[in-house]
Amino acid sequence: MQDFIDKALILRVGRFREADLWLRLFTPQRGLLTAFAFGGSRSRRRFVGCLDALNVVSFLFQPNKTGTYLALGEGNLLKGRRGLRKSSKRLGFAANCVKFFEAVHVEPEESEKSFVLLDQALDTIESEDRISPLFPMLFRLRTAFEQGYGPSLDTCSQCGKVLKTAVAPTLFVEEGRILCGECSSAGGRRVPLNGRVLSILEHVCRNTPEAWCSLELAGEDRRIIYDAVDSLVRWHLGLKWEDGRFLRT
């Protein structure tokens, strides 16, 4: 395997010897990677301002002779996110999104699209004046849809009626589909929806993260969205948020 250059978003950084660091990275071409920056904590030339979590960096990747690990030869900072580190609330939102993203298994063919989504989400959290408390949950929703786990939001999957104007649309979690009130299903976990919630879900899935900040969510709608997204993520992605991290259910 030859050396290669690729840009990467740094998800996590850790120390494993006095001067050496390991990095968990996500790249648009190769997906999730772990690489080692030997001497990275002391380097003043090879990694100037690069090795902080959430930065986007162009790295020179150097496989070892047996191809068992990747070393980082040098890095060029493309995007730093100092603004995130100035606000504990924004940093918490960013950390939640990154932890979820890392827990989801992204197929290589989906890497570029997923990279863009995460990068846009972090830009939004850093720069927008107002961020919805539901932003991390909306990010989970969009990520689930990007991975193919989202139900159709337009029409009842059984009779084809338009869901926004249908009576009592309901999400059937295990089946991963939404039915109108006139159609029945075998049962299982159900989340009652409404036209407003369906419009919000559609808005999130069809627009960039920057556009999510303008969403106005009533208390009941927030509860429904949280319940729907949490149920889909638990059942179809096998993940739950517990003790500050995502665990396999």
Side-chain angles (χ1 to χ4, degrees), residues 87-194:
S87 168
S88 59
K89 180 180 179 180
R90 291 175 186 266
L91 189 59
F93 283 176
N96 190 288
C97 292
V98 166
K99 287 179 180 179
F100 179 74
F101 186 85
E102 189 176 2
V104 174
H105 178 69
V106 178
E107 297 293 341
E109 59 269 20
E110 301 292 335
S111 294
E112 186 167 4
K113 184 166 59 175
S114 298
F115 182 96
V116 171
L117 175 61
L118 179 58
D119 193 42
Q120 289 178 341
L122 295 175
D123 284 347
T124 299
I125 294 171
E126 180 180 25
S127 62
E128 288 298 309
D129 293 333
R130 186 178 62 176
I131 303 293
S132 167
L134 273 183
F135 191 95
M137 183 62 67
L138 300 180
F139 178 80
R140 294 177 214 173
L141 169 70
R142 178 62 177 271
T143 301
F145 269 78
E146 294 283 354
Q147 296 301 307
Y149 295 106
S152 170
L153 301 173
D154 299 320
T155 58
C156 172
S157 63
Q158 188 162 306
C159 72
K161 287 184 178 178
V162 176
L163 287 170
K164 289 181 184 177
T165 57
V167 176
T170 301
L171 169 65
F172 289 82
V173 176
E174 287 90 338
E175 298 176 29
R177 61 178 184 160
I178 301 174
L179 302 180
C180 70
E182 298 177 11
C183 294
S184 61
S185 186
R189 176 86 170 100
R190 305 181 184 194
V191 180
L193 307 175
N194 59 49

Side-chain angles (χ1 to χ4, degrees), residues 222-237:
R222 287 199 300 269
R223 185 197 64 76
I224 293 173
I225 290 173
Y226 183 92
D227 197 13
V229 176
D230 185 63
S231 297
L232 284 172
V233 167
R234 282 174 178 261
W235 184 262
H236 295 283
L237 294 177

Side-chain angles (χ1 to χ4, degrees), residues 45-85:
R45 299 177 62 183
R46 294 187 297 134
F47 305 110
V48 179
C50 290
L51 303 181
D52 291 320
L54 308 182
N55 285 351
V56 178
V57 182
S58 177
F59 282 118
L60 170 63
F61 291 87
Q62 299 175 317
N64 69 329
K65 292 182 179 180
T66 59
T68 53
Y69 67 82
L70 291 170
L72 299 175
E74 59 184 13
N76 178 35
L77 182 65
L78 301 179
K79 184 186 297 183
R81 291 194 164 96
R82 294 182 179 179
L84 281 177
R85 301 180 186 91

